[in-house]
Amino acid sequence: MKFLKLKNSNKRFTAGELYARPVLSVGIISGCHGTGVTHLALMAANYYANGKGYRTAVAECSQHKDFMRICDETNNMTEDMRHFSYGGVDYCTCCGAGELSQLFTGRYEAVVCDMAVETEENFAEFIRCDVRVVVCSTALYKIGRTRKLLGKLKGISVIPVAFAADIREKRVLEKEYNIKIAQLPIETNPLRMASSTLEWMQNYFPG
């Protein structure tokens, strides 16, 4: 495993800079559960793999084991449930820091990281991603956690998005944190997206 020489230990490096090979790392995170992080991660992985033609992996950086359910539902049970392929995307379940570094130094051109809810452990890895997406919520019982995460990310370039946000609360957040929250297109199946959704992804997901 070859690493770039780090001249300044205080500098933050993205995955593409840290590892000695070109790889696009996409981190998707939220301040609370139930905002659609995994759904968006699957949409992004599908976009990079089948829309852009990149060799793509999607990593579940939590212990939720949702990807194991995908393995089950897609009849991939003959494969290793922790590492399997479906629809042109390689899935890595319950991915730790060591496994994530292997993905960054492997054969992939894009690695999408499903960070789920922000924790002390995954926040540093999220900051290192080339593309940082924050899934916001304007729900009364979730907006406080969204504010906390946005405050923590102040001064850091992120792409704020939301599924079905309340327009009034969305405007309040945008003014408060000087951001523009993009409204995510609704896709019932993130692995089989409409062409209009692919166009939306192209506008908001660089690479």
Side-chain angles (χ1 to χ4, degrees), residues 22 35 75 101 188 192:
T35 57
N75 297 315
S101 67
T188 55
R192 198 171 295 169

Side-chain angles (χ1 to χ4, degrees), residues 170-190:
K170 176 175 170 287
R171 287 173 179 166
V172 170
L173 284 177
E174 289 175 334
K175 185 176 181 181
E176 188 175 344
Y177 294 97
N178 192 28
I179 57 174
K180 183 68 176 176
I181 301 174
Q183 187 75 37
L184 285 160
I186 302 299
E187 281 289 347
T188 55
N189 185 352

